[in-house]
């Protein structure tokens, strides 16, 4: 999509969901899948359809670009379950090939990237709201609150509660 727009978007038989697009973003849709768009504001976009066989042939050079596009898809889905196999299937690549290309592009495996992005997203409400860490964990797609605690400790060296307390004390507190 080229410009920012508001509207409802659906893929296949799935429900239409509210979206606000950002300028210069790319979206991927699985092969042979129907796209439904109801625009609330004008929107410029174009669709390129690539047969899965052809995509597999060019995947060696296109895989890093596809991984970057999927990074945006991951951002959009952080609140729900994300399966690496499903992401790979969206671009008609094997899970192994997709994982290699993704790791080459981002320097970490898809699963680690997803966990890192969820942890980063969970830090904002820890700073800006009084929501319990358990509520934040469930909102950002963690299996349970202890999953957020473990991921946070690994990522920044602090539990969510300790992170929140450190921010409340401020940088000058000892």
């Amino acid at each position: 999509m080229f410009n920012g727009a508001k509207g409802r978007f659906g893929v296949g038989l799935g429900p239409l969901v509210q979206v606000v697009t950002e300028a210069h973003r790319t979206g991927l849709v699985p092969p042979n899948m129907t796209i439904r768009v109801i625009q609330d504001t004008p929107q410029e976009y174009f669709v390129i359809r690539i047969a899965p066989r052809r995509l597999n042939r060019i995947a060696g050079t296109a895989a890093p670009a596809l991984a970057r596009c999927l990074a945006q898809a991951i951002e959009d889905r952080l609140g729900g379950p994300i399966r690496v196999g499903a992401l790979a299937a969206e671009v008609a690549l094997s899970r192994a090939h997709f994982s290699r290309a993704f790791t080459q592009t981002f320097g970490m495996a898809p699963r680690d990237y997803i966990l890192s992005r969820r942890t980063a997203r969970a830090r904002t409400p820890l700073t800006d709201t009084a929501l319990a860490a358990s509520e934040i964990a469930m909102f950002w797609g963690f299996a349970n609150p202890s999953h957020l605690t473990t991921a946070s400790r690994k990522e920044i060296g602090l539990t969510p509660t300790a992170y929140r307390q450190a921010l409340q004390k401020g940088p000058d507190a000892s």
Side-chain angles (χ1 to χ4, degrees):
M1 299 194 185
F2 287 112
N3 64 338
K6 271 175 66 173
R8 287 169 285 155
F9 177 78
V11 176
L13 300 175
L16 289 171
V17 294
Q18 284 293 128
V19 293
V20 177
T21 62
E22 293 182 40
H24 310 293
R25 291 292 178 149
T26 303
L28 295 177
V29 177
N32 303 321
M33 188 64 74
T34 303
I35 305 168
R36 297 173 294 134
V37 178
I38 298 173
Q39 296 174 217
D40 295 337
T41 57
Q43 177 172 224
E44 294 177 8
Y45 61 92
F46 71 98
V47 176
I48 300 173
R49 295 192 187 272
I50 302 174
R53 283 189 321 231
R54 180 174 288 264
L55 185 61
N56 282 332
R57 272 188 257 141
I58 62 171
T61 57
L66 292 172
R68 283 189 296 277
C69 292
L70 281 169
Q72 182 59 44
I74 289 168
E75 289 294 322
D76 296 342
R77 300 173 189 175
L78 284 175
I82 303 173
R83 307 269 184 254
V84 175
L87 292 172
E90 286 187 32
V91 291
L93 294 174
S94 71
R95 181 184 168 124
H97 189 96
F98 170 77
S99 292
R100 271 192 308 275
F102 195 99
T103 300
Q104 198 171 29
T105 302
F106 292 100
M108 65 178 73
R111 181 185 175 281
D112 295 335
Y113 179 85
I114 292 165
L115 190 57
S116 174
R117 293 305 308 138
R118 281 188 169 141
T119 305
R121 286 282 188 95
R123 283 196 298 270
T124 300
L126 283 169
T127 336
D128 299 346
T129 71
L131 287 173
S134 59
E135 292 177 275
I136 295 168
M138 300 316 286
F139 183 81
W140 284 114
F142 286 93
N144 53 51
S146 65
H147 190 210
L148 170 59
T149 300
T150 303
S152 182
R153 189 177 287 131
K154 180 181 175 188
E155 188 88 13
I156 61 170
L158 297 170
T159 66
T161 303
Y163 177 76
R164 180 178 271 163
Q165 289 170 347
L167 289 174
Q168 289 171 348
K169 289 180 184 175
D172 297 330
S174 37

